[in-house]
């Protein structure tokens, strides 16, 4: 008889591009546990989070579907991170050396106990040299019923120190601070940089397709997304982290959660039709000296 530890191991998919560039996927909930570039980890995973099919994982990259936030019919943030996904192709290498895997999930008794619709989800994860691409196809396989849904890709990004993080690209986007009492009107971003110096749970709407997250003075994570208009930025801060059981008190310093998706308006999908969404994470190492020199030169442009 298979014990719990062996069962968990059989639910792990490992993508290896060579040169210590890897991606590890837990099929229960299809959570990306690790993404390493030359053995440098890019994804935050709490050191005290259980790796179990009976608990949510604190960290990684998670797919939230078909509902975001609290839900009258099921668990918080839907059931996509509850169910066991199946590998339908791969892992396979492409001619350029990239590696991908296709995983799938579809409606069954458990999902219909909360949400009585027929669906199929196909999720492709592709590991590049310095990029990770996630593509999801959501199919309505019902003969009779249309339905609507939320879909969010929640990425917990590993950083050196939360004080050094800058997010660029959300200027002029409307936002609300979710856990701060406010009226129903949306506020406006007043700066082209979002700095995180305390607890933040901020929802931006109608965001651009490209967002830059500066995770250190010499490192940039470029996020390029398609059909994912909303972005939520979350970090518990020093006070709230003490109330969370599956994260150590100091770990708030080492991650920022960037949630990209269809979070605040549900999208309708007709019978026998589908919806495609994708996100690409690209890690760029910055040459600080060249950046400083270029800015200095540009300052005198037109004078000499």
């Amino acid at each position: 008889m298979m014990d719990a530890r062996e069962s968990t191991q059989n639910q792990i998919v490992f993508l290896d591009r060579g040169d210590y560039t890897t991606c590890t996927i837990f099929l229960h909930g299809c959570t990306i546990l690790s993404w390493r570039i030359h053995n440098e980890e890019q994804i935050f995973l709490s050191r005290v989070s259980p790796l179990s099919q009976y608990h949510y994982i604190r960290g990684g990259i998670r797919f939230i579907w078909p509902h975001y936030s609290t839900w009258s019919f099921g668990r918080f943030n839907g059931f996509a991170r509850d169910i066991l996904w199946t590998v339908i192709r791969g892992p396979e290498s492409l001619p350029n050396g990239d590696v991908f895997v296709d995983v799938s999930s579809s409606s069954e008794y458990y999902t219909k106990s909360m949400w009585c619709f027929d669906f199929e989800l196909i999720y492709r994860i592709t590991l590049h040299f310095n990029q990770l691409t996630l593509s999801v196809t959501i199919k309505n396989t019902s003969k009779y019923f249309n339905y609507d849904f939320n879909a969010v890709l929640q990425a917990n990004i590993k950083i050196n120190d939360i004080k050094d993080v800058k997010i660029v690209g959300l200027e002029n986007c409307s936002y609300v601070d979710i856990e701060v009492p406010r009226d129903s009107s949306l506020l406006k971003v007043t700066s082209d940089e979002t700095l995180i110096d305390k607890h933040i749970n901020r929802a931006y709407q109608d965001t651009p397709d490209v967002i830059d997250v500066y995770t250190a003075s010499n490192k940039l994570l470029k996020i390029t997304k398609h059909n994912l208009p909303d972005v939520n930025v979350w970090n518990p801060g020093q006070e709230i982290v003490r109330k969370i059981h599956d994260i150590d008190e100091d770990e708030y310093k080492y991650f920022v959660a960037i949630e990209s998706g269809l979070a605040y308006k549900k999208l309708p999908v007709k019978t026998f039709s589908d919806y495609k969404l994708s996100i690409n994470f690209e890690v760029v190492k910055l040459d600080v000296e060249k950046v400083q020199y270029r800015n200095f030169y540009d300052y005198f442009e037109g004078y000499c």
Side-chain angles (χ1 to χ4, degrees):
M1 183 175 179
M2 185 181 298
D3 63 22
R5 180 177 298 179
E6 185 180 356
S7 176
T8 298
Q9 290 174 346
N10 289 338
Q11 294 174 14
I12 298 293
V13 175
F14 188 68
L15 306 183
D16 187 353
R17 201 186 184 281
D19 200 19
Y20 302 101
T21 298
T22 60
C23 179
T24 305
I25 304 139
F26 188 32
L27 288 178
H28 189 87
C30 199
T31 299
I32 296 174
L33 302 177
S34 172
W35 170 33
R36 290 178 175 266
I37 300 175
H38 306 314
N39 211 31
E40 181 182 352
E41 183 60 67
Q42 311 299 321
I43 299 299
F44 169 80
L45 192 66
S46 171
R47 64 176 77 102
V48 296
S49 177
L51 180 57
S52 166
Q53 58 186 342
Y54 305 109
H55 299 85
Y56 291 146
I57 295 169
R58 176 65 66 180
I61 302 177
R62 298 178 288 190
F63 179 55
I64 295 170
W65 192 86
H67 190 83
Y68 182 66
S69 190
T70 54
W71 193 22
S72 301
F73 303 105
R75 299 182 70 179
F76 185 81
N77 279 343
F79 52 70
R81 58 180 185 166
D82 279 343
I83 54 183
L84 181 63
W85 294 60
T86 303
V87 175
I88 57 175
R89 183 178 177 185
E92 283 185 31
S93 294
L94 297 170
N96 63 358
D98 297 341
V99 184
F100 76 91
V101 66
D102 289 339
V103 297
S104 177
S105 183
S106 58
S107 48
E108 37 92 0
Y109 289 117
Y110 175 69
T111 65
K112 287 189 175 181
S113 70
M114 295 170 280
W115 199 64
C116 57
F117 296 104
D118 293 316
F119 67 87
E120 183 183 14
L121 306 174
I122 299 175
Y123 190 170
R124 171 166 289 196
I125 300 165
T126 306
L127 177 65
H128 309 271
F129 174 72
N130 65 331
Q131 300 177 51
L132 184 68
T133 302
L134 312 177
S135 303
V136 181
T137 300
I138 300 164
K139 296 183 177 182
N140 182 349
T141 57
S142 173
K143 295 180 181 179
Y144 308 108
F145 301 107
N146 303 333
Y147 62 72
D148 54 21
F149 63 86
N150 299 126
V152 175
L153 284 160
Q154 182 186 67
N156 292 273
I157 299 164
K158 183 178 173 60
I159 57 179
N160 294 331
D161 194 320
I162 192 65
K163 294 183 295 185
D164 297 331
V165 171
K166 294 188 297 184
I167 302 173
V168 178
L170 298 174
E171 62 272 16
N172 300 320
C173 296
S174 301
Y175 73 86
V176 290
D177 287 318
I178 293 176
E179 295 176 2
V180 178
R182 297 189 183 277
D183 61 28
S184 59
S185 62
L186 294 176
L187 304 179
K188 286 288 185 180
V189 177
T190 57
S191 171
D192 60 351
E193 295 180 352
T194 300
L195 305 177
I196 304 173
D197 55 0
K198 56 184 178 180
H199 163 68
I200 184 172
N201 190 3
R202 180 168 291 177
Y204 298 88
Q205 299 185 19
D206 299 320
T207 63
D209 289 337
V210 179
I211 297 170
D212 292 335
V213 182
Y214 291 86
T215 59
S217 60
N218 66 336
K219 187 177 176 183
L220 164 67
L221 180 69
K222 183 176 290 291
I223 300 175
T224 305
K225 51 197 180 64
H226 174 66
N227 280 340
L228 297 168
D230 305 318
V231 170
N232 195 74
V233 179
W234 181 77
N235 181 276
Q238 189 174 9
E239 297 300 322
I240 292 180
V241 73
R242 297 172 183 169
K243 304 175 184 178
I244 304 175
H245 74 277
D246 56 356
I247 183 171
D248 273 346
E249 288 190 9
D250 67 326
E251 288 190 299
Y252 76 94
K253 301 176 184 177
Y254 306 124
F255 81 96
V256 60
I258 307 291
E259 303 175 358
S260 305
L262 294 153
Y264 305 106
K265 292 181 181 178
K266 290 203 168 187
L267 183 81
V269 177
K270 295 181 179 180
T271 58
F272 296 112
S273 61
D274 57 40
Y275 186 83
K276 298 179 186 295
L277 55 90
S278 64
I279 191 166
N280 183 74
F281 301 96
E282 179 184 4
V283 174
V284 180
K285 292 286 188 177
L286 304 175
D287 189 327
V288 177
E289 291 184 0
K290 286 185 178 180
V291 171
Q292 290 175 343
Y293 177 77
R294 184 190 67 217
N295 291 342
F296 178 81
Y297 180 83
D298 289 346
Y299 182 80
F300 289 99
E301 187 176 4
Y303 293 93
C304 58

